[in-house]
Amino acid sequence: MSTLQPKTIYLRDYQPPAWLIDQVALDFDLYEDYAIVTATLTLQRNPAATVMEDLVLMGEELELLSLLLDGKPCPVTRYTLTTTQLTLLAPPSRCVVTTKARIYPHTNKALSGLYQSGGNFCTQCEPEGFRRITWFLDRPDVMTLFTTKITADKARYPYLLSNGNRFAEGELTDGRHWVQWQDPFKKPSYLFALVAGDLDCREDFFVTQSGRRIVLQIYVDKGYQAQTAHAMQAVKKAMRWDEVRFGREYDLNIYMIVAVGDFNMGAMENKGLNIFNTKYILASPQSASDRDYINIESVIAHEYFHNWSGNRVTCRDWFQLSLKEGLTIYRDQEFTADTTSRTVERIDAVDYLRSAQFAEDASPMAHPIRPDSFVEINNFYTNTVYNKGAEVIRMIATLVGEANFRKGMDLYFSRHDGSAVTTEEFVCAHEEASKIDLQQFRLWYTQAGTPVLHVTDHYDAAKQIYTLTLRQSCPATPGQADKKPFHIPIVMGLLDQAGHELQAALLQLKETENNFVFSGISEQPIPSLLREFSAPVRLEYAYTDDALALLLRHDTDPFNQREAGFQLTVNTLLRMVQAYREGEAMTVPQSLLDALQYVFRNQPDKWLLARMLSLPSEKYLAGLMRVVDVDSIHVARETLLTEVARFLQEDMLAFWQQHRDVPFVFDVPTIAARAAKNMCLDYLMQLGVDEYQRLGLQQFQLALGKDMTDTSAALAALVNVPGEMRDTALEAYYQQWQDNALALDKWFALQASAKLPGTGEHVKALLQHPAFDIKNPNKVYALMGSFTANAIHFHAIDGSGYQLLTDTVLTIDRFNPQVAARMLKPMVEWRNYDEARQQLMCQQLQRIAAEKKISPDVFELVNKSLTIQMASRA
Ligand code: TRP
Ligand code: ZN
């Protein structure tokens, strides 16, 4: 590789900081084409550090204007400056360092540090963006008291915001004004935030459980205030829930949220001043779908919950990222479960985990939820750290039980409030509170890979004894050839042949293999295993289709009812894939169609019904094959969709007609009805029959500008109808929404998701569309993210999909490495494909490697993809 190899950082090299920063005073002078940042750091040597070290401050893309040591100009002999560090040579043990820097927010397209979005200033500091604002000990274990003064033109930037409480403001004679903020809580630099702009604000308040009145403010671009009502409700809902469920109360007197259109991720939990992607704030029934409404609630809850799980108790270093992210995902999942549907929330979380995280765990980027090395920390904001991390917390809750879990959380928060800790402290708190030994359980933090749980059973009719044999294994992952057995909680039950539950239990597998014996069992039972997906493993048990059909109808755990149906379709699809590969006819067993019809006619919960009738994704199926056969998976799945639609079309048509006009209300029954209705429409349109396609167009036209759930559902099906209908719908949608960035993202995404031939070419053309903006992450994720998820087109056998992605990644890498690396991730899994595709992907990866200048972010992915040989999949 032609680039200088960026260096790998290891957890084992962790050292406490040599210096501490007691307080920092920041002074921002904001102008149209630059900003001046003056930082005054009050420092002392860390009494806990052993060696006397120079003071090494991190700083990137900063122009040094002046440097003072204890108020006097620092002589050039007393410091050194590189592109990443400012080193003060042997300063006094207590000192005050003042730096003055010039930075260029308006040309910052990496969206890290201080940048402009929609004409306003905002910041993103996690994980290492603060060093792009000023020189600092930019690491989470250095916690500091911040005061911030912001000065800017008053007309252009009437609002000047930062963390904590506003304590002074004033006007200058030249049309500029200033505001000073003070954050009473010590915090690491990654939680710093600043916003300056001309915004609309919705204000409300919340009275905490102890009676304190908190001012709530949501800031958005001018003209969008009406679209913040739902977000404000969500804030209040989240605040109350955290008090009730976790006893956590908000601490400052004001809680502000600012929504910006240019943002690399979903949102950021900066102390008292969260910054959000507009996608997770703005909503109106006309322009946002039910899914958007739910996502908004869950992201708002997530960032709010971070105030305790992340801010009050933060991470010692970035290897501990899951300490806050896994825990906060767990908390937001529980919030969504409590406030919408527990079963649907769990199904969606598990589907996502098993398609996205399992794939990551089987790739050259596989890492434990607490990684032990990285090149670029931005590459480790992953499904593993976040979503598998949440599963690990969930397993602790299962093992210790609800009451102990709450005790453990209380102990964790009270013991570590105001400090920066590791996952070890988290586990210790739960061990102490529950008196349950979690020694072996800790392996979930350090071992990567998805364990396989092999289950066999034996029934002894004479003794009335049923024995389950549980065996675990875990595939090798980079740097970890052999794994020790995990401590796995298996929630399960036994059903008799009539579907009655005989027993329920929590089994704990700790060895490689263990028998579990059930006595007094009067007939051969059917096991319902891994209820509510009690551990993030691949379950292997040779269920007969009959057993699955029985669980589907009778399991007392609704999650496993759906799981049984899901496995039934998986089995069928894998058989169909096999048949198609061998040139044989693909057949759909009548028993599967009957089972789905049974569900359709008998499931009273329509949301669950929609989930139970949705087929496993191509991505999930791909994860089950040693060599992914893109085309066969697609053909098999499309065929099954058609067969199910054919069999259920009368039921589905009737259902669609009954529910064609569900008025918009944000509540579960309405969301459920719309979800089921749109599932029906999707199946009906799969039949390629004119009559049904006209229903789709009719729904689309009636809903356009009124109800985004129905609009986008219809359009998602219409984009697969070749010809005039598709063009008419896309054009009408564009006319309706050309000025709404978020609604246009859906327009791009749906076109990139189309199954029709020519989709790759079409995506390429859309990259040049005037409404597309490669600098805007939402646009890139919508268009290119949807394209890479569209397997038949992204993996086109002529390699055009890989070429298009690579061109785009290289372009983006020049200004936004984080987004470039995120987009490249699907290519990391190249070894899972057939030889022809392997070669094509490998060529593109090598093309990137040969580039003169690539970011450490992209370098790490390409390097790991090309050098790490994965053990072949089972
Ligand atoms: N901490 C954020 C969260 O709640 C993650 C995040 C937001 C982030 N913006 C980022 C991470 C930019 C890396 C880069 O999940
Ligand atoms: Zn988070």
Side-chain angles (χ1 to χ4, degrees):
M1 232 161 282
S2 54
T3 14
L4 197 67
Q5 294 236 343
K7 77 172 208 291
T8 302
I9 301 172
Y10 295 92
L11 169 59
R12 60 167 185 264
D13 293 339
Y14 173 82
Q15 292 290 332
W19 290 79
L20 302 176
I21 306 176
D22 296 329
Q23 47 178 319
V24 57
L26 296 168
D27 187 322
F28 290 85
D29 231 338
L30 305 176
Y31 297 95
E32 283 322 287
D33 47 7
Y34 68 94
I36 304 293
V37 184
T38 310
T40 305
L41 282 55
T42 306
L43 295 130
Q44 59 164 305
R45 277 185 197 280
N46 184 356
T50 43
V51 279
M52 296 282 270
E53 278 180 43
D54 293 338
L55 170 63
V56 185
L57 300 172
M58 298 96 152
E60 286 170 13
E61 316 236 330
L62 308 170
E63 267 175 42
L64 184 63
L65 301 180
S66 76
L67 173 63
L68 308 180
L69 179 59
D70 289 324
K72 290 187 240 38
C74 184
V76 286
T77 52
R78 297 289 303 278
Y79 74 92
T80 62
L81 180 64
T82 71
T83 54
T84 58
Q85 290 181 341
L86 171 64
T87 304
L88 283 105
L89 306 168
S93 294
R94 283 178 178 277
C95 60
V96 176
V97 171
T98 307
T99 62
K100 191 172 178 181
R102 188 198 305 270
I103 59 178
Y104 298 91
H106 66 292
T107 59
N108 177 358
K109 299 298 170 198
L111 314 186
S112 162
L114 178 63
Y115 65 95
Q116 284 201 329
S117 175
N120 302 317
F121 287 94
C122 65
T123 54
Q124 172 56 39
C125 294
E126 184 180 6
E128 299 181 334
F130 192 73
R131 65 189 63 184
R132 294 162 56 88
I133 295 174
T134 191
W135 286 277
F136 208 73
L137 297 174
D138 190 15
R139 44 185 286 172
D141 56 352
V142 174
M143 298 176 76
T144 311
L145 286 172
F146 281 72
T147 55
T148 304
K149 181 177 179 189
I150 311 164
T151 307
D153 184 79
K154 186 169 183 180
R156 291 204 50 148
Y157 308 102
Y159 289 100
L160 305 175
L161 312 176
S162 191
N163 319 87
N165 304 308
R166 181 202 312 241
F167 76 95
E169 56 199 296
E171 294 198 13
L172 305 175
T173 49
D174 55 356
R176 292 168 71 77
H177 69 146
W178 57 270
V179 175
Q180 258 182 313
W181 294 82
Q182 184 161 41
D183 187 346
F185 293 92
K186 279 194 161 210
K187 68 167 173 289
S189 51
Y190 83 87
L191 291 173
F192 171 79
L194 172 156
V195 170
D198 191 6
L199 303 157
D200 274 350
C201 176
R202 174 185 295 268
E203 187 167 308
D204 206 326
F205 67 92
F206 177 81
V207 179
T208 68
Q209 58 185 4
S210 73
R212 292 171 41 249
R213 186 188 159 100
I214 315 293
V215 173
L216 307 175
Q217 295 177 332
I218 299 180
Y219 293 89
V220 288
D221 279 354
K222 278 209 121 49
Y224 288 86
Q225 205 247 25
Q227 291 193 47
T228 58
H230 176 63
M232 187 59 90
Q233 283 309 111
V235 173
K236 294 195 258 179
K237 212 161 149 180
M239 291 178 96
R240 189 62 77 212
W241 184 90
D242 213 14
E243 292 184 343
V244 173
R245 217 11 234 280
F246 282 93
R248 297 295 118 200
E249 185 172 320
Y250 188 64
D251 45 17
L252 292 161
N253 302 324
I254 180 167
Y255 183 58
M256 296 173 283
I257 290 178
V258 181
V260 302
D262 302 279
F263 203 71
N264 283 347
M265 305 262 285
M268 180 61 212
E269 70 265 24
N270 318 301
K271 185 76 187 186
L273 177 56
N274 291 181
I275 299 182
F276 271 63
N277 189 321
T278 45
K279 184 175 161 61
Y280 296 113
I281 292 292
L282 300 179
S284 69
Q286 301 89 295
S287 63
S289 65
D290 290 339
R291 188 36 44 210
D292 295 325
Y293 271 74
I294 294 169
N295 289 344
I296 287 169
E297 282 200 335
S298 101
V299 176
I300 286 180
H302 180 98
E303 305 311 329
Y304 174 72
F305 298 157
H306 266 315
N307 193 53
W308 276 97
S309 50
N311 302 2
R312 294 286 293 247
V313 182
T314 195
C315 302
R316 187 192 73 172
D317 55 74
W318 292 119
F319 296 101
Q320 319 299 328
L321 184 58
S322 199
L323 176 82
K324 73 176 177 83
E325 294 305 347
L327 177 56
T328 306
I329 291 280
Y330 171 77
R331 277 153 53 70
D332 84 51
Q333 288 178 349
E334 282 298 292
F335 167 79
T336 304
D338 283 349
T339 57
T340 63
S341 155
R342 178 160 290 271
T343 305
V344 171
E345 160 59 23
R346 191 64 189 134
I347 289 168
D348 290 353
V350 171
D351 278 358
Y352 183 70
L353 186 88
R354 288 195 296 202
S355 60
Q357 196 280 326
F358 279 20
E360 189 167 87
D361 241 347
S363 86
M365 271 297 286
H367 52 278
I369 67 167
R370 194 204 65 194
D372 29 42
S373 72
F374 57 72
V375 171
E376 172 51 63
I377 182 57
N378 276 304
N379 286 334
F380 285 78
Y381 285 75
T382 58
N383 294 316
T384 299
V385 166
Y386 275 66
N387 301 78
K388 186 178 181 178
E391 295 300 319
V392 171
I393 308 285
R394 186 174 297 279
M395 286 191 285
I396 294 179
T398 303
L399 287 170
V400 302
E402 203 178 309
N404 277 332
F405 186 71
R406 174 62 196 272
K407 269 202 271 170
M409 290 306 304
D410 288 350
L411 179 61
Y412 169 72
F413 286 130
S414 64
R415 182 184 279 172
H416 301 295
D417 190 10
S419 49
V421 301
T422 68
T423 56
E424 178 57 24
E425 271 93 56
F426 181 83
V427 178
C428 280
H430 281 291
E431 257 179 337
E432 279 189 41
S434 66
K435 314 262 185 308
I436 289 172
D437 180 0
L438 296 172
Q439 196 49 46
Q440 183 186 357
F441 186 84
R442 284 170 171 75
L443 291 168
W444 285 106
Y445 283 89
T446 54
Q447 290 189 157
T450 306
V452 183
L453 181 63
H454 315 262
V455 181
T456 53
D457 57 355
H458 175 74
Y459 178 60
D460 185 332
K463 296 199 181 118
Q464 306 222 325
I465 282 178
Y466 176 69
T467 307
L468 273 176
T469 302
L470 270 48
R471 186 167 57 81
Q472 59 168 306
S473 63
C474 183
T477 49
Q480 296 184 338
D482 301 306
K483 318 269 172 148
K484 297 194 187 108
F486 291 92
H487 180 177
I488 305 177
I490 297 126
V491 178
M492 53 81 64
L494 297 177
L495 274 69
D496 70 16
Q497 300 292 335
H500 301 117
E501 180 155 296
L502 299 170
Q503 287 193 22
L506 164 63
L507 311 181
Q508 300 191 33
L509 179 63
K510 295 182 171 187
E511 336 258 294
T512 302
E513 184 175 313
N514 228 326
N515 288 335
F516 295 87
V517 178
F518 301 83
S519 53
I521 307 290
S522 55
E523 58 177 294
Q524 170 83 43
I526 294 160
S528 166
L529 299 163
L530 216 62
R531 282 181 167 171
E532 283 187 59
F533 200 65
S534 61
V537 300
R538 291 183 198 268
L539 173 63
E540 285 188 2
Y541 172 76
Y543 277 112
T544 62
D545 284 2
D546 286 348
L548 290 172
L550 183 127
L551 290 171
L552 170 77
R553 288 170 171 82
H554 300 295
D555 202 323
T556 53
D557 172 23
F559 177 88
N560 260 11
Q561 276 189 19
R562 184 272 182 173
E563 184 64 17
F566 185 82
Q567 291 308 328
L568 208 52
T569 44
V570 168
N571 293 347
T572 300
L573 282 162
L574 291 178
R575 288 194 287 259
M576 291 169 76
V577 166
Q578 193 57 29
Y580 182 77
R581 289 167 62 89
E582 287 164 10
E584 283 163 21
M586 294 182 283
T587 53
V588 178
Q590 188 57 38
S591 56
L592 174 64
L593 297 173
D594 290 341
L596 295 176
Q597 185 179 58
Y598 172 86
V599 170
F600 198 96
R601 294 184 175 172
N602 296 287
Q603 177 53 254
D605 177 342
K606 299 306 170 202
W607 211 3
L608 188 49
L609 165 65
R611 292 300 183 273
M612 292 182 86
L613 284 183
S614 69
L615 300 188
S617 67
E618 292 183 6
K619 173 101 177 139
Y620 178 80
L621 295 165
L624 301 176
M625 299 185 74
R626 199 181 61 75
V627 178
V628 180
D629 184 337
V630 177
D631 306 295
S632 304
I633 289 173
H634 183 73
V635 173
R637 192 172 178 281
E638 291 298 304
T639 306
L640 183 55
L641 281 173
T642 308
E643 291 305 311
V644 173
R646 187 167 295 142
F647 189 68
L648 293 179
Q649 64 180 298
E650 268 121 57
D651 290 272
M652 288 180 158
L653 183 58
F655 191 96
W656 183 84
Q657 275 161 343
Q658 273 162 33
H659 298 86
R660 62 199 306 172
D661 206 10
V662 184
F664 184 86
V665 201
F666 182 68
D667 66 14
V668 168
T670 318
I671 294 170
R674 247 196 304 273
K677 174 198 54 184
N678 284 320
M679 179 267 302
C680 290
L681 180 68
D682 194 47
Y683 269 110
L684 291 171
M685 288 184 69
Q686 176 74 18
L687 289 170
V689 175
D690 248 22
E691 180 200 338
Y692 296 144
Q693 290 173 344
R694 276 198 303 276
L695 292 185
L697 188 60
Q698 191 192 330
Q699 170 172 324
F700 172 81
Q701 284 164 338
L702 279 173
L704 185 62
K706 297 197 190 72
D707 178 322
M708 182 53 96
T709 307
D710 282 1
T711 307
S712 57
L715 189 56
L718 286 166
V719 294
N720 296 318
V721 180
E724 206 186 323
M725 258 188 214
R726 171 188 151 109
D727 299 343
T728 314
L730 284 171
E731 179 57 24
Y733 188 101
Y734 187 76
Q735 288 308 324
Q736 174 76 32
W737 292 120
Q738 52 186 318
D739 299 321
N740 182 316
L742 295 173
L744 266 193
D745 290 344
K746 295 191 202 309
W747 186 78
F748 283 110
L750 290 174
Q751 293 179 75
S753 311
K755 301 168 190 174
L756 291 188
T759 294
E761 280 302 307
H762 190 61
V763 168
K764 194 171 177 178
L766 285 173
L767 280 166
Q768 307 304 323
H769 192 282
F772 184 78
D773 177 5
I774 202 162
K775 301 257 160 74
N776 177 254
N778 285 356
K779 286 278 171 300
V780 173
Y781 298 148
L783 184 61
M784 292 310 288
S786 303
F787 177 61
T788 56
N790 187 349
I792 45 163
H793 294 298
F794 174 56
H795 294 284
I797 196 64
D798 62 357
S800 56
Y802 308 142
Q803 165 119 28
L804 183 60
L805 178 68
T806 304
D807 292 346
T808 314
V809 164
L810 287 173
T811 306
I812 298 172
D813 196 41
R814 282 177 220 125
F815 56 85
N816 192 335
Q818 282 178 39
V819 170
R822 263 176 195 281
M823 291 317 302
L824 186 61
K825 278 194 173 175
M827 291 250 281
V828 174
E829 292 160 28
W830 65 280
R831 278 195 169 87
N832 299 344
Y833 293 82
D834 52 272
E835 225 162 285
R837 289 184 171 92
Q838 281 196 19
Q839 254 186 28
L840 291 164
M841 281 190 257
C842 195
Q843 270 165 24
Q844 296 299 327
L845 288 166
Q846 274 157 349
R847 197 178 123 215
I848 301 173
E851 283 283 313
K852 276 195 207 66
K853 248 189 93 167
I854 54 173
S855 65
D857 312 54
V858 166
F859 169 86
E860 178 171 33
L861 299 191
V862 171
N863 185 46
K864 287 184 176 170
S865 304
L866 292 176
T867 59
I868 294 172
Q869 189 88 48
M870 296 297 293
S872 82
R873 294 199 283 169

